[in-house]
């Protein structure tokens, strides 16, 4: 950009309103030649035919790190460039709202933390972040272990009976059970129970996903809600969930009123360590609708994302027996037969790298959605207020320019003793949890949850894609799903004897070692 636009963006950062800037720079702009954002000629049918981020990847290879995609009157900017992503998420985040995402999710999340913008977001983020303190996460490790153990029992029965299992739905239930307890101390028990509230949660989730990929928002037609059987079912499910949440809030309020505990930074009620309990005990002064919106947001944010990570991790592992064997070796030596503890998290290094790499290849969600609130510069291109923007994390994570063997599942690309990869140390080419002020609040929670589940499962079982299973293909909702499930054959592992040591380097038999010599003499 030329000097005038640098000056303009500097003044804008200092808080000079855009109206004044427009006046000041109007005459300069007329003279300055801006490059135009490349325009991709996409047809909507190509986009709708498969997981939509795949054609976006093809277009990225042709048009580059930022391009415009136009369908009739609507147009979107597709961003796949690390420095532009960083600008939007971290350097100038105040200029971007959640746009379409907030519109789609309004019926279920209202003004919850994911869709909320501006002042409401700021206040709610400030209230919620402290609830996920380290002591809380430590308590959650036990919860992850117990829930994964229940899944192991289910898999053990399947192994005995010689029946294949559909892992995607089991992971969805595992993470629903975990997040229900973690957020509002509710036991969905969905690994064994399928009725009522569990069904309601899935009805609402599927609706949110369908709305996010629907071409026409029919649900906005006023009487549609009352006559469409499907919308009636959604309304009924929402009513049931909201009623349950109101009850849980009331029960929790009573508990908080009766308890003697003093509130402090690492406050936690051992009987009920939930986020809801923390919020109520902190004296969080908020309407019950807002509290419900936030609980619902966390339920959804922390449920399907973690389930999708586990699903794709097991899919990737089924293709790479070498990685699986190395993982099982690590888990045997670090955990033995114990339940994992928070101390184990730093020793399950390879398991963590596998999750890092799975999140690179299958980012959840694959795109981040924003809308510009004012004119801005994206790289060398000026953009106007009101642009809908998709940051394709999929493209960033699979860019041949940014990665060696971008499509290869290679946990070794992340050195075991290196830092845990994140958006900062990877310069925004890697965004598993977003970045900037709207970064995921559950990143550590989710990392530990997926590492614990992974470790507990591979310690007890071997997993193979079931014979005759349909090919595993992708489809999108909010996260990346399989089209026909992940059918696997689970067999009990024949474990080598456990050597209870931590981090032993490869054992090298050295015949010069004296005690060995002594023994053989
Ligand atoms: C936001 C990913 C688990 C709560 C986000 C964002 C990403 C993400 C990419 C940023 C969205 C954006 O910028 O538009 C993930 C992944 C998870 C996971 C991959 C699992 C592996 C969780 C869990 C919780 C959670 C367990 C709750 C305990 C949230 C919330 C936000 C968020 C509340 C919104 C934050 C804000 O806007 O201030 N997550 N998440 N997530 N996540 Fe997660």
């Amino acid at each position: 950009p030329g000097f005038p636009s640098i000056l303009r963006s500097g003044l804008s950062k200092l808080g000079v309103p855009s109206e004044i800037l427009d006046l000041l720079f109007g005459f300069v702009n007329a003279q300055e030649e801006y490059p135009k954002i490349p325009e991709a000629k996409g047809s909507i049918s190509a986009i709708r035919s498969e997981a939509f981020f795949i054609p976006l990847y093809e277009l990225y290879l042709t048009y580059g790190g930022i391009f415009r995609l136009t369908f009739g009157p609507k147009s979107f900017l597709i961003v796949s460039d690390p420095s532009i992503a960083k600008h939007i998420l971290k350097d100038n985040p105040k200029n971007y709202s959640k746009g379409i995402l907030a519109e789609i999710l309004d019926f279920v999340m209202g003004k919850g933390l994911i869709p909320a913008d501006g002042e409401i977001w700021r206040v709610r983020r400030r209230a919620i972040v402290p609830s996920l303190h380290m002591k809380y996460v430590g308590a959650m490790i036990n919860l992850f272990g117990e829930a994964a153990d229940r899944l192991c029992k289910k898999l053990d029965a399947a192994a005995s009976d010689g029946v294949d299992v559909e892992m995607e739905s089991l992971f969805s239930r595992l993470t629903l059970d975990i997040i229900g307890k973690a957020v509002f101390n509710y036991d969905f028990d969905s690994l064994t129970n399928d009725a009522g509230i569990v069904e309601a949660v899935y009805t609402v989730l599927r609706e949110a996903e369908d709305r996010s990929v629907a071409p026409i928002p029919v649900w906005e037609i006023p009487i549609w809600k009352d006559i469409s059987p499907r919308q009636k079912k959604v309304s009924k499910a929402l009513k049931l969930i909201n009623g349950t949440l109101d009850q849980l809030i009331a029960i929790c309020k009573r508990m908080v009123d009766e308890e003697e505990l003093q509130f402090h930074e690492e406050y936690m009620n051992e009987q009920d360590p939930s986020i809801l309990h923390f919020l109520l005990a902190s004296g969080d002064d908020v309407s019950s609708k807002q509290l419900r919106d936030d609980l619902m947001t966390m339920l959804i944010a922390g449920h399907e994302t973690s389930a999708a990570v586990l699903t794709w991790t097991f899919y990737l592992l089924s293709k790479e027996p070498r990685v699986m064997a190395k993982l099982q070796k690590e888990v045997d030596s670090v955990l033995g037969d114990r339940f994992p503890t928070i101390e184990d998290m730093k020793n399950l290094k390879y398991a963590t790298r596998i999750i890092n790499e799975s999140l690179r290849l299958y980012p959840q969600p694959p795109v981040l959605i924003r809308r510009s609130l004012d004119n801005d510069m994206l790289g060398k291109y000026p953009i106007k207020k009101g642009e809908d923007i998709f940051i394709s994390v999929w493209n960033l994570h699979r860019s041949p320019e940014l990665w060696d063997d971008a499509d290869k599942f290679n946990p070794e690309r992340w050195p075991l003793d290196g830092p845990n990869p994140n958006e900062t140390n990877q310069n925004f080419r890697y965004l598993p949890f977003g970045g900037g002020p709207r970064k995921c609040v559950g990143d550590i929670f989710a990392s530990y949850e997926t590492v614990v589940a992974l470790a507990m499962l591979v310690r007890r079982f071997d997993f193979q894609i079931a014979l005759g299973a349909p090919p595993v293909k992708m489809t999108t909702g909010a996260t990346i799903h399989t089209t026909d499930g992940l059918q696997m054959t689970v067999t009990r592992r024949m474990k080598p004897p456990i050597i209870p040591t931590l981090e032993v380097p490869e054992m090298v038999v050295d015949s010069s070692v004296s005690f060995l010599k002594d023994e053989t003499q």
Side-chain angles (χ1 to χ4, degrees), residues 298-420:
M298 282 187 275
L299 174 70
I300 294 178
H303 169 208
E304 294 276 84
T305 42
S306 300
V309 174
L310 286 168
T311 301
W312 292 107
T313 302
F314 276 73
Y315 168 74
L316 289 166
L317 286 171
S318 75
K319 306 267 171 220
E320 292 286 348
R322 173 194 70 82
V323 177
M324 182 62 137
K326 193 168 160 187
L327 168 66
Q328 287 175 323
K329 198 167 162 213
E330 177 184 86
V331 175
D332 288 344
S333 86
V334 174
L335 286 187
D337 279 339
R338 283 188 296 106
F339 271 72
T341 64
I342 193 143
E343 269 69 47
D344 295 320
M345 296 302 105
K346 57 178 179 294
N347 295 320
L348 289 167
K349 288 188 177 159
Y350 193 59
T352 307
R353 293 296 171 257
I354 288 173
I355 297 294
N356 299 143
E357 181 69 346
S358 167
L359 271 165
R360 186 182 68 82
L361 286 170
Y362 295 93
Q364 313 293 347
V367 297
L368 302 179
I369 299 176
R370 293 293 189 274
R371 180 176 292 155
S372 58
L373 296 171
D374 204 342
N375 300 350
D376 196 10
M377 290 294 293
L378 293 185
K380 58 186 179 199
Y381 303 110
I383 63 155
K384 295 234 170 297
K385 172 181 173 169
E387 292 274 18
D388 283 313
I389 301 169
F390 286 3
I391 299 173
S392 173
V393 184
W394 176 276
N395 289 356
L396 284 165
H397 284 191
R398 290 195 181 232
S399 163
E401 278 179 25
L402 301 171
W403 306 90
D404 292 333
D405 277 332
D407 287 339
K408 187 169 165 32
F409 174 53
N410 178 21
E412 279 74 13
R413 77 173 72 237
W414 310 108
L416 281 193
D417 291 319
N420 202 40

Side-chain angles (χ1 to χ4, degrees), residues 434-445:
R438 309 258 356 201
K439 184 174 173 174
C440 181
V441 300
D443 57 343
I444 299 176
F445 179 112

Side-chain angles (χ1 to χ4, degrees), residues 244-262:
T244 310
L245 285 178
D246 284 339
Q247 269 175 12
L248 291 170
I249 294 172
I251 294 171
C252 192
K253 270 198 177 125
R254 247 175 283 143
M255 274 179 88
V256 169
D257 285 345
E258 282 163 20
E259 81 189 6
E260 311 266 286
L261 283 172
Q262 213 37 34

Side-chain angles (χ1 to χ4, degrees), residues 126-161:
R126 211 174 262 180
I128 289 167
V129 165
S131 68
L132 289 117
H133 53 64
M134 238 21 219
K135 191 172 164 202
Y136 167 78
V137 175
M140 290 299 107
I141 303 275
N142 298 334
L143 173 68
F144 304 155
E146 284 158 16
D149 194 48
R150 283 200 297 277
L151 176 54
C152 284
K153 296 211 166 77
K154 231 178 147 107
L155 295 180
D156 203 52
S160 292
D161 299 346

Side-chain angles (χ1 to χ4, degrees), residues 82-135:
S83 64
I84 300 181
K86 178 165 179 274
H87 175 83
I88 296 170
L89 297 175
K90 189 163 180 208
D91 299 336
N92 195 16
K94 287 206 170 119
N95 192 45
Y96 297 89
S97 73
K98 292 289 178 105
I100 302 173
L101 189 83
E103 289 161 12
I104 291 168
L105 294 178
D106 182 67
F107 81 105
V108 46
M109 294 189 191
K111 299 264 177 291
L113 199 55
I114 286 189
D117 282 313
E119 188 59 13
I120 296 185
W121 168 76
R122 209 179 55 78
V123 171
R124 296 314 297 152
R125 174 118 187 165
R126 211 174 262 180
I128 289 167
V129 165
S131 68
L132 289 117
H133 53 64
M134 238 21 219
K135 191 172 164 202

